[in-house]
Amino acid sequence: MFACIYGQKIPGGTSLVDFAYGFSPLVEDTAVDTVVIDIEGCELLFGSAYELANEIANRATKSREASGLGCRVNVAVASNPDAAIHAARLFEGVTFLELLFLNHLDLF
């Protein structure tokens, strides 16, 4: 599972990458306003993926002194990083994607 953190209004001097490292050691900086983290195995620290995503969103609103960003961010959780990135950029708040693939041969 992957979580994307997208913040358009991150205050200057604040690092989205450093913030993301507070949740996972596996962070990819994909753009100035976007990072993707691998959240596999983070359940032991943060609970479910739902709890983790909400913790990220809540902590981001806190001040920098309180380990936050001082702004709101979009967080999306998905089974692959690309889906998480697109969802975080398109939807406000916390988003969860569960992709279902149907084998078209099974339909006939």
Side-chain angles (χ1 to χ4, degrees):
M1 294 292 287
F2 297 89
C4 177
I5 307 169
Y6 173 66
Q8 285 184 304
K9 299 178 182 177
I10 296 173
T14 305
S15 172
L16 185 58
V17 173
D18 290 343
F19 174 75
Y21 275 119
F23 299 98
S24 174
L26 303 172
V27 176
E28 180 181 353
D29 185 12
T30 61
V32 174
D33 56 4
T34 308
V35 296
V36 177
I37 60 176
D38 184 339
I39 60 171
E40 200 67 39
C42 291
E43 299 88 11
L44 295 174
L45 293 174
F46 299 102
S48 69
Y50 176 79
E51 292 169 315
L52 173 60
N54 283 298
E55 175 64 23
I56 292 169
N58 291 334
R59 193 181 302 176
T61 62
K62 295 183 179 181
S63 68
R64 289 174 44 190
E65 292 78 24
S67 301
L69 295 171
C71 68
R72 296 175 63 94
V73 296
N74 296 339
V75 181
V77 175
S79 59
N80 71 65
D82 292 329
I85 291 169
H86 290 296
R89 289 177 167 266
L90 290 173
F91 302 112
E92 283 190 30
V94 177
T95 304
F96 292 88
L97 294 181
E98 187 171 333
L99 302 176
L100 300 176
F101 295 97
L102 299 175
N103 183 342
H104 70 280
L105 297 175
D106 292 339
L107 298 176
F108 301 103

